[in-house]
């Protein structure tokens, strides 16, 4: 039995850089969505725990506030930094060019 696929048997888009870029982008957005869902679910649980154990204080806002900052940074990474999907590729190209000039 053969371990590798011939080009005709490869999944659609396996050799297409644009398809790979789109898959990475969708994966980033899905990760952000999962992060947001976890934030809401855990936040509700922590708020409930806070209200049940110490109704006179609202300590849950501190850990959730810190987490919210992380969530905002994650969203910025996906929608602001990730919006320029070619940035990383351009940086790699520049580094490769510098390497070629330095060693070639």
């Amino acid at each position: 039995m053969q371990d590798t696929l011939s080009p005709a048997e490869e999944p659609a888009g396996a050799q297409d850089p644009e398809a790979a870029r789109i898959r990475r982008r969708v994966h980033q957005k899905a990760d952000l969505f999962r992060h947001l869902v976890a934030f809401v679910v855990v936040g509700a649980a922590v708020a409930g725990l806070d209200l049940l154990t110490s109704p006179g204080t609202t300590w849950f806002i501190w850990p959730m506030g810190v987490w919210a900052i992380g969530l905002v940074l994650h969203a910025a990474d996906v929608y602001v930094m990730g919006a320029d999907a070619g940035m990383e590729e351009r940086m790699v190209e520049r580094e490769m060019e510098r390497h070629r000039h330095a060693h070639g």
Side-chain angles (χ1 to χ4, degrees):
M1 192 153 179
Q2 191 177 8
D3 286 337
T4 59
L5 297 174
S6 71
E9 295 172 320
E10 288 186 3
Q15 294 180 338
D16 182 9
E18 184 69 12
R21 186 187 66 75
I22 291 168
R23 280 190 178 85
R24 278 193 308 273
R25 189 87 176 111
V26 168
H27 182 74
Q28 287 178 327
K29 289 179 179 183
D31 279 348
L32 177 61
F33 179 74
R34 285 187 287 271
H35 189 176
L36 178 61
V37 169
F39 175 80
V40 170
V41 170
V42 172
V46 170
L49 180 67
D50 181 15
L51 294 173
L52 288 173
T53 60
S54 52
T57 64
T58 52
W59 57 261
F60 80 94
I61 61 172
W62 296 106
M64 295 311 297
V66 172
W67 192 352
I69 291 169
L71 186 60
V72 167
L73 291 173
H74 189 170
D77 183 44
V78 172
Y79 288 103
V80 176
M81 300 302 288
D84 184 13
M87 179 180 69
E88 199 170 309
E89 287 83 5
R90 287 193 304 275
M91 291 172 70
V92 168
E93 282 298 320
R94 275 189 236 127
E95 286 299 317
M96 289 176 73
E97 195 62 33
R98 284 187 196 129
H99 180 76
R100 277 188 224 116
H101 288 297
H103 300 293

